[in-house]
Each structure stands twice: as C-alpha cells, then as structure tokens.
Amino acid sequence: MSRRHKGRDVNGILVIDKPQGLTSNGILQQVKRLYGAAKAGHTGALDPLATGVLPLCFGEATKFSQTMLDSDKAYIATARLGERTETGDSEGSVVENRPVPEGLTADVLEPLLDRFRGDIQQVPSMYSALKHKGRPLYEYARQGIEIERPARPVTIYSLELLAIRDNEMDIAVKCTKGTYIRSLVEDIGEAIGCGAHVVALRRTLAAGFTLADAHDVPGMEAMRERDESLDGLLVAPDAALSMFPEHRLSGPVLVSILNGQAVRIEAQLDQGYVRVYGNQDFVGLAEAFPDSEGTQLVPKRLVKTGGRL
C-alpha cells in the first residue's frame, strides 16, 4: 500500500530571513507547517549563529535546490580579534588568546585582506558539514578526531573592511559556493598575527535573492492569524535561475521536451544550462550542446505542470 503524502501541494520559493539560534531545518519545518505543505526543502544550511537570506523550496521548486545551492553568496561578518575558538565562531570554547597588534588600522589591514581576494585555496573547518565516509566532519570534531582536509579552490569576488573597533572588525564578503566564512576569518586572524573568530554572521545574498526579498516567520504567523494567504509570498523557481539564459520553444519541439526528450533547434546557443519557456510558462532547465547545425537541448529538470506553478 503506497504512503500518502500529508499536506497540500505548494509550489514555489520563499525567501526567509533566518533568525539567530535556529538551524536551517528548524526554520524550514516551521514554515512548512505554516503552509501545510507536503514537500519542502532548503538550499544549503546556515549555522544557528548565522542570520539572513535562506531560500526555501516547495514542491516542484525543490528540483532546483541544488542549482540554487551552487550560486554565489554574500555575507556581513563580525570578527573578534585576539581569540581563537575550537569551532571558528563564538559557539565554541576559546582555545587561544593573543594580543591584538597595536595601531591596527584600515591602512594596515588592507594589504593583509588583499591576500584573500580573488582565487584562493581554503581548508574547510572541522566543524563544517562536509562529509567523510558518510559522516559530517563536525561529528568527528565533537569526538576529538581530526580528519585531514585538502585545501579547496574558492573565489572571493570582494572583501571589504566595513569597520574596525578595538578587538573587532566588520567585513563584507561576496564569494563562490563552498566558501567557509569561519575559515576565512580564522585565516585573516592568522595573517594579522592574533587569531580571530566569527561572533556574528548575516547572509545578504543567496541564489540571486537579497534581504529585500526576505520574509520573517513572526510576520507570516501574523498573516495567518488574520486569515491572510501566504501563497502570495512565493515566487516561481525561475526567479532563482536568472544566471542562465532563456530560450522559448513552441510546437512539436516543446511537446517533445515536455516529454523528457532531447530536441534539436536551429538557433546557436552557448553551451551550458538554459531556462526553457513554452509560451509564457517556465518549463525547466535544459543543457545546450551547440554544433555546426544548431543546438541540441537535453532536458535536465522539468516542472511536472509544464510551467504553471
């Protein structure tokens, strides 16, 4: 006997301003209950310490969660100088204290920060969710087990010093996926010579969404108490896929791609993912393979409804 999914069909993306102290999954379950949704997921965990932009996917939009996870991110972080913690943030115990260099000004910091701009190699924190033999690294760390982690390439598009105060500094970072701000702050602290850890972290950009797009749970709960529908807060999945070019199909090729079949078109498209539309409706993502005679479009992630969300 097949299991019945509890909840209603809800399709789209909701951008949440995650509060401090809750896990990403914790806020996801709260919002899922508010919608009474059958299927939902988030697009990459934020630490309980962190706040800010967290896109949540419902129904058909969950097909694009990995693509959203792969997007660039931006953060504002506050670093405490002179203290290193076991986790790289204020949730861990202090393991080392060192004096902050005297005369630490923006002019002194700029050349140090410049080392971390552009393409860099970064060793992930042992307290990250990266997996080793099927288990997240933080589980090993909590048992006192150190796992060797190879450095990974990441790109820091921008790293701006916003403020410096005694033993704290605020920085703004825009970076590729997989960048660990805790590790970045720790490395900057070592470059300064005193160590550092994160005491506040706010994500300001994810999957093309900013804080201006975000909603908070108390506001949504107030809407429910007023018997107002929350569905109007949702946006369609293609709102998170604007980094890919679009192409519109009609006729037999549209029917074929909706049936999951690769199609050939005369247009010359660049190789890579393409947002496919039929009439006014979003169909899904296809991968384009151009050649001398046109382009082959191979469907990758299609919405079951043919685009009507």
Side-chain angles (χ1 to χ4, degrees), residues 204-216:
T204 57
L205 172 73
F209 298 112
T210 69
L211 289 168
D213 304 306
H215 306 277
D216 61 79

Side-chain angles (χ1 to χ4, degrees), residues 79 83-89 95 98 116 123-126 149 180-192 194-198:
E83 291 181 351
R84 231 173 25 89
T85 70
E86 60 180 0
T87 59
D89 59 28
V95 295
R98 281 182 274 172
F116 301 95
V123 177
S125 167
M126 269 302 298
R149 289 104 54 211
Y180 289 93
I181 303 302
R182 286 177 298 171
S183 297
L184 177 64
V185 165
E186 286 183 309
D187 291 343
I188 292 172
E190 291 306 308
I192 295 171
C194 60
H197 69 275
V198 173

Side-chain angles (χ1 to χ4, degrees), residues 59-72:
E60 291 293 288
T62 59
K63 294 177 179 179
F64 306 97
S65 58
Q66 182 60 48
T67 305
M68 296 166 66
L69 178 62
D70 292 343
S71 67
D72 296 334

